[in-house]
Amino acid sequence: MKTVKLKMSDGKTKGSGLLSLQGNLSLDNVEQLVHVFREAVQKYKRLSVELKEVCALDLGFLQLLWSLENEMHKKGEELEVKMTLPSELEQLLRNTGFSRWLGSA
């Protein structure tokens, strides 16, 4: 099983944060993902999530990301998602209705 690399850091402005996610973004690593998402919601008012060098991504991860987005918006806070994905994973997002995170949808 491939692992996920998670890095959370403060952003350039006060109250902002950056989550960098790489590797296996699937239910195989759900506990780590949920933990870091919950921590980020508590810590930051503005959050950027960057996905790069992704080898796996599934609907479970997309649902977690959607939940993170909803939680941030419910608190009146901002979430920005940036994705650099292989073409087959971009197609998965288009097919499942999550294309707004691709930036070109």
Side-chain angles (χ1 to χ4, degrees), residues 31-90:
E31 289 181 34
Q32 289 175 282
L33 293 164
V34 168
H35 175 76
V36 76
F37 282 6
R38 284 182 178 161
E39 187 178 342
V41 165
Q42 296 298 317
K43 190 171 183 177
Y44 300 112
K45 294 187 181 293
R46 288 176 302 284
L47 185 61
S48 289
V49 177
E50 292 185 359
L51 281 65
K52 58 185 175 181
E53 298 178 29
V54 175
C55 64
L57 182 144
D58 64 11
L59 186 55
F61 170 77
L62 295 174
Q63 290 171 326
L64 286 174
L65 189 58
W66 182 82
S67 293
L68 174 64
E69 181 178 64
N70 280 339
E71 189 63 28
M72 294 293 290
H73 287 205
K74 186 167 62 171
K75 293 172 65 177
E77 298 170 351
E78 298 177 29
L79 177 73
E80 177 184 23
V81 178
K82 297 177 185 176
M83 296 185 177
T84 304
L85 300 173
S87 60
E88 65 272 8
L89 293 179
E90 282 189 15

